[in-house]
Amino acid sequence: MPIRVDSEIGRLRRVLIHRPGREIDWMVPAMMESLLFDDILDGDEAREEHDLFSQVLRQAGVEFFDAQNLLTDVLAMPEPRQRLLAELEAEYGVPFNLVRQLDGMPHQELAAALVGGIRAPAEMSDAGRLLFFQLNPVPNYFFQRDPQVVIGNRVVISSMATDAREREPLLARALFENHPALAGAAKIFEIDVPPSGAPQHNPHFPYPNLEGGDVLVVSPEIVLVGLSERTNRRGIETLAEYLRREETSFRHLIMVELPRRRSYMHLDTVFTLIDRNLCLAYLPVIEPGGPESAHVYSVDLSARELTFTVRSSLLKVLRDLGMDLDVVACGGAREAIDQQREQWTDGANAFAIAPGLILLYRRNHRTMEELAGRGWRILPGEEAAAGKHDLLGGGPAAISLWSNELSRARGGPRCMTMPLERDAL
């Protein structure tokens, strides 16, 4: 099956997702900060919301794969299973006795453990504190955007910025190297960084970090990368050097340096593409001249040396490269309070199923009003999932999704999806 993504908006054919599982149910307040959450989610409601989201994808003709299900298939193969377990012990600091316990599990149970964690016996403690887990859960796993990036016909295995998510690229690599639906369909490039449990890991060394929420494929020639809380300069340089030395279609990389705030953790929290020549953006960061305005740099990937050239704004450099974008303001164009509130609840984090067909969280009312004022249909997710609307032939549409629980995890529809195949524009 082909893997190919040359834009953010080409009609989606296949996508990688993950339905939230026990990794969400086992979240405890004492671990929220270390596992990158701001709140405890109701797992059952989060799954209901995610199921609605999946049904909308199905109605739009999209084939979706659950990453944990694919992992289960891979772990049924003896050689990939043993390689993964050996790497957990050698590189991730998982104790030998726990690796033996994992090795004794059936493949479905093992996949669940690698994502959902393993509970500790009640008597286990550390320095007087109760230990909840022998193997921590990975509650961010339903944000499949981040541990891998599909750019053109290549898959980049990410290097995560936090210990809480460093197991995710390991699982991503296992899928893309071994699963019949993915393996061999694309060249793989791994940003190889020793995990925190590896003997050679140096906590004071600035390893490259790159997460998928910071990478937007604008066209076959242009890729945007955010310099953010989660992606550092070395990560961007590593990606740029890879694209320069490989025979790809990409000619321009644009680096967007965001203010270092949790609310702007990735570029796609402030900027997404939603239609031909149309974007959704949080204006205080994307427009130039303000106290929070992003700093923008362009890189000519065909030049002899890697050089970052200062540019006046993201929209200006895109216009110079032939893409003149109109902007839909996240939270509306008038009230700064609405803009801030809806940026926080992922009002700029739209996911395009096709040009002019996007998924967006329903709670972002002012953003929806801004789209409606431009002639977009606002379709309730339940109706779209039930087949009550012509999704692909009825004109521009935003499908509004319930997100009382999912939005509390600090990620939107784009965060939950890793496109594997899109049609060319």
Side-chain angles (χ1 to χ4, degrees):
M1 295 183 184
I3 290 178
R4 186 92 203 191
V5 175
D6 287 320
S7 77
E8 292 289 312
I9 63 170
R11 181 171 175 181
L12 184 67
R13 297 297 179 177
R14 300 192 303 143
V15 67
L16 194 62
I17 61 175
H18 172 59
R19 185 177 189 258
R22 77 183 188 204
E23 68 275 6
I24 294 296
D25 302 325
W26 284 358
M27 178 78 67
V28 293
M31 300 181 69
M32 285 193 311
E33 184 177 355
S34 64
L35 295 179
L36 310 177
F37 275 65
D38 295 326
D39 202 353
I40 298 295
L41 274 64
D42 183 303
D44 289 338
E45 289 192 20
R47 283 183 281 276
E48 287 181 10
E49 293 170 0
H50 197 274
D51 289 345
L52 178 66
F53 151 76
S54 299
Q55 184 58 30
V56 170
L57 293 175
R58 183 179 287 110
Q59 284 291 344
V62 178
E63 183 180 14
F64 56 84
F65 300 87
D66 189 292
Q68 186 171 323
N69 292 341
L70 298 186
L71 181 63
T72 299
D73 296 340
V74 169
L75 294 173
M77 307 174 191
E79 289 188 12
R81 175 191 178 102
Q82 290 308 312
R83 284 198 303 269
L84 192 151
L85 291 174
E87 191 165 350
L88 281 174
E89 182 182 358
E91 297 292 319
Y92 288 77
V94 179
F96 173 70
N97 62 335
L98 184 53
V99 172
R100 288 190 64 184
Q101 180 181 339
L102 291 168
D103 195 21
M105 295 178 178
H107 53 275
Q108 187 169 4
E109 185 181 340
L110 176 56
L114 292 175
V115 176
I118 299 177
R119 293 285 297 272
E123 65 274 9
M124 284 188 67
S125 63
D126 179 37
R129 296 177 301 152
L130 178 66
L131 288 182
F132 290 99
F133 299 101
Q134 289 179 285
L135 184 70
N136 278 344
V138 188
N140 295 278
Y141 199 57
F142 75 95
F143 295 136
Q144 278 294 307
R145 176 66 56 167
D146 298 321
Q148 63 269 299
V149 185
V150 178
I151 304 178
N153 63 346
R154 292 154 196 273
V155 177
V156 176
I157 304 299
S158 302
S159 167
M160 312 303 277
T162 58
D163 296 351
R165 302 195 69 179
E166 66 182 6
R167 198 186 311 149
E168 295 179 55
L170 171 68
L171 304 183
R173 175 159 49 84
L175 299 187
F176 283 94
E177 286 183 346
N178 299 290
H179 198 281
L182 306 175
K187 292 185 178 181
I188 298 174
F189 172 63
E190 182 177 11
I191 301 178
D192 193 14
V193 171
S196 59
Q200 69 271 33
H201 178 82
N202 180 351
H204 306 293
F205 186 80
Y207 295 107
N209 295 133
L210 181 83
E211 298 192 0
D214 277 312
V215 181
L216 281 73
V217 180
V218 175
S219 74
E221 295 82 32
I222 305 169
V223 61
L224 307 185
V225 189
L227 177 61
S228 69
E229 266 200 343
R230 305 286 180 84
T231 294
N232 61 17
R233 176 71 175 252
R234 288 203 66 194
I236 297 173
E237 291 172 349
T238 301
L239 177 63
E241 290 288 9
Y242 172 72
L243 295 175
R244 278 162 49 81
R245 70 174 180 264
E246 294 287 314
E247 294 183 2
T248 75
S249 61
F250 294 99
R251 296 293 175 265
H252 304 280
L253 182 146
I254 302 170
M255 183 176 80
V256 184
E257 183 177 4
L258 305 174
R260 298 301 174 93
R261 294 190 179 182
R262 175 158 170 74
S263 55
Y264 313 145
M265 72 179 76
H266 291 134
L267 178 58
D268 67 4
T269 66
V270 296
F271 181 86
T272 47
L273 293 161
I274 60 175
D275 200 355
R276 291 180 172 87
N277 301 314
L278 190 64
C279 66
L280 178 55
Y282 178 58
L283 298 181
V285 169
I286 296 304
E287 286 190 330
E292 290 191 305
S293 295
H295 301 290
V296 180
Y297 307 82
S298 64
V299 177
D300 181 351
L301 295 173
S302 62
R304 295 185 63 182
E305 296 183 356
L306 186 65
T307 303
F308 289 79
T309 303
V310 178
R311 305 301 294 261
S312 60
S313 76
L314 174 57
L315 297 176
K316 174 64 165 58
V317 68
L318 288 173
R319 188 160 54 247
D320 291 345
L321 294 174
M323 179 168 284
D324 193 1
L325 294 177
D326 194 9
V327 181
V328 177
C330 169
R334 294 184 297 275
E335 291 288 342
I337 288 177
D338 292 335
Q339 291 174 352
Q340 284 198 21
R341 284 175 58 86
E342 298 204 2
Q343 188 277 325
W344 179 258
T345 55
D346 299 296
N349 191 262
F351 178 64
I353 296 176
L357 178 64
I358 64 172
L359 301 175
L360 201 60
Y361 284 161
R362 182 170 303 177
R363 64 190 301 165
N364 296 301
H365 304 293
R366 298 294 177 264
T367 305
M368 296 286 190
E369 290 171 4
E370 195 78 5
L371 287 163
R374 293 168 175 264
W376 284 55
R377 299 173 295 156
I378 308 300
L379 308 180
E382 312 90 278
E383 296 181 6
K388 295 183 178 180
H389 298 279
D390 181 358
L391 299 182
L392 295 165
I399 300 170
S400 64
L401 301 173
W402 285 115
S403 61
N404 292 340
E405 294 304 311
L406 292 178
S407 66
R408 288 160 61 193
R410 302 294 302 119
R414 187 179 190 272
C415 300
M416 294 190 296
T417 50
M418 173 43 60
L420 299 171
E421 184 184 2
R422 286 188 183 273
D423 288 355
L425 291 177

